[in-house]
Amino acid sequence: MVVDSWGPGAKLRTVLPGARKWDASRALRNVGRSAASWTVLIAVSMTLLSLREIAILLYRHAPLRAVCATLFAAPGLSLIFAGIVAVPVAAVHSLVRLIGRARRGFHFAWPIPLLALAWFVVSDITPHPLAQSMGLAESRVVVLVLFGSLLVLATVVTRIRAHVLRIVAGGVLGAITLGLYVMLPPTIHREPRDMAWLSCVVSVAAFLYPLRRRITAAPQEVVARGFGIFCAASFAGLFLSSWVSPNWRVYARDYGAFTERLGRFSRTLLDLDGDGYSAVLWGTDCNDLDPMRNPGMGEEVGQDRNCNGVVRPAVSTPAQRGLAPAAGEPDLLVGEIDRVVLITIDCLRNDVVSPTVTPNLTRFASRGLRFTKLYGGGTRTATSLPLMLRGAYSLTPIAQRLTAAHVTTSAIFGYKHSTIGGNVLGGFASVKRPDITDHRFRATEVTDFALSDLRAPANARNHFLWVHYFDAHGPRTLHVLPPDTPKFAGLPNEDPDSSLYLSQIAYIDKELGRLLAGIEETGDLAKTVVIISSDHGEGFGLHAMYEHGESAFEEVTHVPGVLVAPGIAPGHYEHVTSHRDIAATIVGAFGLVAKNPEVEDFGRSWMRLRAAPSATLHDFVITYSAAEHVQTWSLAPMMIRTDDHAKYAVAYRDGLERLYHLDLPDPERLDLAPWNRAEVTRDRAQLELYRDLDSQPP
């Protein structure tokens, strides 16, 4: 009786003795018309909203062929997702009608099925946290009230019979939700925009609801013929899109949200084994019935748990790990230096290091070796710093190795966060960081603590100090900066917030100058090794990418690197290097690589450049990033292979791959993968083997 009520004007009947016999054939026809009507209504609503994404692609100067392909693909993608959700939505709609026609006293409960639907959606994609003062439970309640109220309002709009009044009410509702979506600030957090976009879909569907009434009222033959033509045309456009532009999804993913969102939603709904990966709509799960086999699984010898088609060998070679043939000596002589000071600046991207913004860093870099192609091990702090201080996620922390060799170790970390603990600070004898989680030290305080450590008599020899500045990390506030901090125009073609970011970097550089002066005052620079770098960069919308943690673009992967050490000639090193080299370099500075050779399994000590200054250390390096903003890498893994000339990246959840030639004037504007298949095949083979050999990020 419920499914029979889906038809136009159908009356719910009570099954009692003597009632008219159930007409199964008519009920089946009603179900077919209703399913088709809901599918078309939802698909058309989504397709209309996709037009905004087309405009964004044009604004972002995506290739015209990719824009056309996205336009062709939108109806097909909308139809697929609408087909998945049409039956549940229709079921909820029928329950609303059933309750609305119940006996007096109960018919006011018709919003309950709508609230249940809202809860199903909200429980999966609620932003966490919605605000700093809210946890997940509070966020879900707030979003449930907002989205549930929208569903109720949209249902009321569909019941308005007055044509003009319904158009006005639907238009107002749609304008409000679309305005909310447009006004949401750019962010790496996708959940608020997902909720706002779903709200837009609901509003547009309410506005177009008469389309569904027309479909359900039409003859069965007309509905079947029209629905068939609609499906055929939509799927034809989807298949045509790949012919028009083989890599259209790269631009749709980077600059828009429509393709990525529908694909992600569909894969979430059709994930049969619940492991977070699916085999539909470009999903890469090779066995959707086995939760222990998916692209996010760690590899084991003799198995292919991560679905890459490569079986991990029991023994690997340096070349398979991206290393060039060894040259020079990795170790300094024992006693040749007294101290090693590692300085890292959170969120410092390579292209902002300049005499204008970072005069102290630039001046100091001229006294040593500047690494022009240093790439982070990861695009999040929790994935990059462990590689910098271990060499591989599975290796022993270098601070622990140094302690065993009677080297004292200290860490001064400007921030306390739940993801930064033993994975980064493990092995340090002395750790100074804020006592309260999510609090930070200002750069002035960090420098004061560092100078106090360097002045301690016990730290004059055989000492390793790590100093981490955190001020440039968001959220950024102007009032914490000293009044004399320089102000800058924003980065070209990026968000105005980059202006404040540059000021934060300038403030850190001022304190860095004080620290560098203190290093010379407290010891002989000729017997000190100083390394300066960053954990990752920061994005401000240059490629529609904000903050960090996801994507493969230079603004988050390319970081500065400076080495000042005895025997290292000043200049620029023009070959690709990795964060993993820093662990080996620190161990080598104390003459301990020979006793700990595994620290060079994936990196090379920069001390090798003393005897071989032009030697190539790596054939390629690997960066771990994510295709989405996730806390655990395995939920949306991305890997980036970079050599001296090109960058190749793979996102494993949606199967996207891209290739950029870094020698071009605007290297990351065009994806060159479809036209360089031999290069892509080589890079993919190297990347997949490396992936099997390395331990994956936590």
Side-chain angles (χ1 to χ4, degrees), residues 36 40 79 221-235:
V40 172
L79 180 62
E221 296 77 10
V222 174
V223 173
R225 188 182 306 113
F227 186 68
I229 294 173
F230 179 77
C231 292
S234 299
F235 286 130

Coordinates of all heavy atoms in Angstrom, one line a residue, residues 36 40 79 221-235:
A36 N 11.2 6.8 -11.7 CA 11.7 7.6 -12.8 C 11.5 9.1 -12.5 O 12.5 9.9 -12.8 CB 10.9 7.2 -14.1
V40 N 14.7 11.6 -12.3 CA 14.9 12.8 -13.2 C 14.9 14.1 -12.4 O 15.7 15.0 -12.7 CB 13.7 12.8 -14.2 CG1 13.7 14.1 -15.0 CG2 13.8 11.6 -15.1
L79 N 22.8 11.6 -13.0 CA 21.8 10.5 -13.2 C 22.2 9.3 -12.3 O 21.4 8.6 -11.7 CB 21.7 10.1 -14.6 CG 20.8 9.0 -15.0 CD1 19.3 9.3 -14.6 CD2 20.8 8.6 -16.5
E221 N 3.7 4.6 -21.2 CA 4.5 4.5 -22.4 C 5.3 5.7 -22.6 O 6.5 5.7 -22.9 CB 3.7 4.2 -23.6 CG 3.0 2.9 -23.6 CD 1.7 2.9 -22.7 OE1 1.3 4.0 -22.3 OE2 1.2 1.8 -22.5
V222 N 4.7 6.9 -22.3 CA 5.4 8.1 -22.5 C 6.5 8.3 -21.4 O 7.7 8.7 -21.7 CB 4.4 9.3 -22.3 CG1 5.2 10.7 -22.3 CG2 3.4 9.3 -23.4
V223 N 6.3 7.8 -20.2 CA 7.3 7.9 -19.1 C 8.5 7.0 -19.5 O 9.6 7.4 -19.4 CB 6.7 7.5 -17.8 CG1 7.8 7.3 -16.7 CG2 5.6 8.5 -17.3
A224 N 8.2 5.8 -19.9 CA 9.2 4.8 -20.3 C 10.1 5.3 -21.4 O 11.3 5.3 -21.4 CB 8.6 3.5 -20.6
R225 N 9.4 5.9 -22.5 CA 10.2 6.4 -23.6 C 11.0 7.6 -23.2 O 12.2 7.7 -23.6 CB 9.2 6.7 -24.8 CG 9.9 7.1 -26.1 CD 8.9 7.5 -27.1 NE 7.9 6.5 -27.3 CZ 6.6 6.7 -27.0 NH1 6.2 7.8 -26.6 NH2 5.7 5.7 -27.2
G226 N 10.4 8.5 -22.5 CA 11.1 9.7 -22.1 C 12.3 9.4 -21.2 O 13.4 10.0 -21.3
F227 N 12.0 8.5 -20.2 CA 13.1 8.2 -19.3 C 14.3 7.5 -20.0 O 15.4 7.7 -19.7 CB 12.5 7.3 -18.2 CG 13.5 7.0 -17.1 CD1 13.9 8.0 -16.2 CD2 14.0 5.7 -16.9 CE1 14.8 7.8 -15.2 CE2 14.9 5.5 -15.9 CZ 15.3 6.5 -15.0
G228 N 13.9 6.6 -20.9 CA 15.0 6.0 -21.7 C 15.8 6.9 -22.5 O 17.1 6.8 -22.5
I229 N 15.2 7.9 -23.1 CA 15.9 8.9 -23.9 C 16.8 9.8 -23.0 O 18.0 10.1 -23.3 CB 15.0 9.8 -24.7 CG1 14.2 9.0 -25.8 CG2 15.7 11.0 -25.3 CD1 13.2 9.7 -26.5
F230 N 16.2 10.1 -21.8 CA 17.0 10.9 -20.8 C 18.2 10.2 -20.4 O 19.3 10.7 -20.3 CB 16.1 11.3 -19.6 CG 16.7 12.1 -18.6 CD1 17.0 13.4 -18.7 CD2 17.1 11.4 -17.4 CE1 17.6 14.2 -17.7 CE2 17.7 12.2 -16.4 CZ 18.0 13.5 -16.5
C231 N 18.1 8.9 -20.0 CA 19.2 8.1 -19.6 C 20.3 7.9 -20.7 O 21.5 8.1 -20.4 CB 18.7 6.7 -19.1 SG 17.8 6.8 -17.6
A232 N 19.8 7.6 -21.9 CA 20.7 7.4 -23.0 C 21.5 8.7 -23.3 O 22.8 8.6 -23.5 CB 19.9 7.0 -24.2
A233 N 20.8 9.8 -23.3 CA 21.5 11.1 -23.6 C 22.6 11.4 -22.5 O 23.7 11.9 -22.7 CB 20.5 12.2 -23.7
S234 N 22.2 11.2 -21.2 CA 23.0 11.5 -20.1 C 24.3 10.6 -20.1 O 25.4 11.1 -20.0 CB 22.3 11.3 -18.8 OG 21.2 12.2 -18.7
F235 N 24.1 9.3 -20.3 CA 25.2 8.4 -20.3 C 26.1 8.6 -21.6 O 27.3 8.4 -21.5 CB 24.8 6.9 -20.3 CG 24.3 6.5 -18.9 CD1 23.1 5.9 -18.7 CD2 25.1 6.8 -17.8 CE1 22.6 5.5 -17.5 CE2 24.6 6.4 -16.5 CZ 23.4 5.8 -16.4

